[in-house]
Short mmCIF file of all heavy atoms in Angstrom, two decimals:
data_model
loop_
_atom_site.label_atom_id
_atom_site.label_comp_id
_atom_site.label_asym_id
_atom_site.label_seq_id
_atom_site.Cartn_x
_atom_site.Cartn_y
_atom_site.Cartn_z
N LEU C 351 -24.33 34.41 -18.79
CA LEU C 351 -23.35 35.60 -18.89
C LEU C 351 -22.72 35.71 -20.24
O LEU C 351 -22.01 36.61 -20.41
CB LEU C 351 -22.36 35.48 -17.69
CG LEU C 351 -22.86 35.69 -16.31
CD1 LEU C 351 -21.78 35.57 -15.31
CD2 LEU C 351 -23.54 37.16 -16.12
N ASN C 352 -22.92 34.76 -21.02
CA ASN C 352 -22.21 34.79 -22.27
C ASN C 352 -22.38 36.03 -23.16
O ASN C 352 -21.32 36.69 -23.65
CB ASN C 352 -22.64 33.56 -23.15
CG ASN C 352 -21.74 33.40 -24.38
OD1 ASN C 352 -20.45 33.59 -24.31
ND2 ASN C 352 -22.19 32.90 -25.46
N PRO C 353 -23.61 36.60 -23.28
CA PRO C 353 -23.78 37.94 -23.99
C PRO C 353 -23.06 38.98 -23.21
O PRO C 353 -22.57 40.05 -23.90
CB PRO C 353 -25.28 38.05 -23.93
CG PRO C 353 -25.90 36.79 -23.78
CD PRO C 353 -25.02 35.98 -22.90
N LEU C 354 -23.09 38.96 -21.97
CA LEU C 354 -22.22 39.99 -21.16
C LEU C 354 -20.83 39.95 -21.52
O LEU C 354 -20.12 40.94 -21.69
CB LEU C 354 -22.56 39.84 -19.64
CG LEU C 354 -21.86 40.87 -18.66
CD1 LEU C 354 -22.21 42.28 -19.03
CD2 LEU C 354 -22.14 40.49 -17.29
N ASP C 355 -20.22 38.68 -21.41
CA ASP C 355 -18.80 38.54 -21.69
C ASP C 355 -18.52 39.13 -23.15
O ASP C 355 -17.54 39.69 -23.37
CB ASP C 355 -18.48 37.07 -21.74
CG ASP C 355 -18.46 36.51 -20.28
OD1 ASP C 355 -18.13 37.35 -19.37
OD2 ASP C 355 -18.49 35.24 -20.08
N HIS C 356 -19.28 38.79 -24.11
CA HIS C 356 -19.04 39.25 -25.44
C HIS C 356 -19.30 40.78 -25.54
O HIS C 356 -18.74 41.46 -26.31
CB HIS C 356 -19.91 38.52 -26.40
CG HIS C 356 -19.50 37.08 -26.69
ND1 HIS C 356 -18.34 36.95 -27.49
CD2 HIS C 356 -20.03 35.97 -26.41
CE1 HIS C 356 -18.18 35.58 -27.59
NE2 HIS C 356 -19.23 34.92 -26.92
N GLY C 357 -20.29 41.27 -24.75
CA GLY C 357 -20.60 42.61 -24.81
C GLY C 357 -19.58 43.56 -24.37
O GLY C 357 -19.42 44.64 -24.79
N VAL C 358 -18.82 43.17 -23.34
CA VAL C 358 -17.73 44.10 -22.79
C VAL C 358 -16.49 43.74 -23.52
O VAL C 358 -15.46 44.58 -23.28
CB VAL C 358 -17.51 43.78 -21.28
CG1 VAL C 358 -18.75 43.94 -20.44
CG2 VAL C 358 -17.03 42.31 -21.04
N ASN C 359 -16.47 42.88 -24.57
CA ASN C 359 -15.25 42.66 -25.31
C ASN C 359 -14.95 43.78 -26.28
O ASN C 359 -15.79 44.22 -26.84
CB ASN C 359 -15.25 41.36 -26.00
CG ASN C 359 -14.00 40.99 -26.71
OD1 ASN C 359 -12.88 41.34 -26.16
ND2 ASN C 359 -13.99 40.35 -27.83
N ASP C 360 -13.68 44.15 -26.38
CA ASP C 360 -13.21 45.21 -27.26
C ASP C 360 -11.94 44.75 -27.88
O ASP C 360 -11.13 44.26 -27.10
CB ASP C 360 -13.06 46.49 -26.50
CG ASP C 360 -12.68 47.61 -27.52
OD1 ASP C 360 -11.81 47.49 -28.36
OD2 ASP C 360 -13.40 48.71 -27.44
N PRO C 361 -11.85 44.62 -29.18
CA PRO C 361 -10.67 44.03 -29.85
C PRO C 361 -9.41 44.74 -29.56
O PRO C 361 -8.41 44.25 -29.76
CB PRO C 361 -11.05 44.13 -31.42
CG PRO C 361 -12.12 45.24 -31.52
CD PRO C 361 -12.87 45.16 -30.22
N THR C 362 -9.55 45.97 -29.06
CA THR C 362 -8.21 46.80 -28.79
C THR C 362 -7.90 46.70 -27.25
O THR C 362 -7.01 47.34 -26.87
CB THR C 362 -8.42 48.18 -29.22
OG1 THR C 362 -9.60 48.80 -28.57
CG2 THR C 362 -8.62 48.28 -30.68
N ALA C 363 -8.63 46.01 -26.40
CA ALA C 363 -8.36 45.91 -25.02
C ALA C 363 -8.47 44.48 -24.60
O ALA C 363 -9.32 43.79 -24.94
CB ALA C 363 -9.29 46.76 -24.22
N GLY C 364 -7.53 44.11 -23.68
CA GLY C 364 -7.64 42.74 -23.18
C GLY C 364 -8.45 42.73 -21.98
O GLY C 364 -8.73 43.66 -21.30
N GLN C 365 -8.79 41.39 -21.72
CA GLN C 365 -9.63 41.15 -20.56
C GLN C 365 -9.62 39.62 -20.21
O GLN C 365 -9.16 38.89 -20.95
CB GLN C 365 -11.20 41.55 -20.77
CG GLN C 365 -11.90 40.65 -21.78
CD GLN C 365 -13.34 41.04 -21.80
OE1 GLN C 365 -13.65 42.06 -21.32
NE2 GLN C 365 -14.12 40.23 -22.45
N ALA C 366 -9.86 39.41 -18.87
CA ALA C 366 -9.88 38.02 -18.51
C ALA C 366 -10.93 37.92 -17.39
O ALA C 366 -10.77 38.61 -16.37
CB ALA C 366 -8.57 37.59 -17.95
N ARG C 367 -11.97 37.01 -17.51
CA ARG C 367 -12.88 36.81 -16.50
C ARG C 367 -12.54 35.48 -15.80
O ARG C 367 -12.61 34.51 -16.33
CB ARG C 367 -14.26 36.64 -17.05
CG ARG C 367 -15.33 36.43 -15.90
CD ARG C 367 -16.75 36.81 -16.33
NE ARG C 367 -17.14 35.90 -17.34
CZ ARG C 367 -17.82 34.75 -17.18
NH1 ARG C 367 -17.77 34.26 -15.92
NH2 ARG C 367 -18.26 33.96 -18.05
#
Side-chain angles (χ1 to χ4, degrees):
L351 289 179
N352 192 34
L354 178 61
D355 284 339
H356 285 290
V358 299
N359 185 35
D360 188 306
T362 57
Q365 67 176 10
R367 181 161 67 83

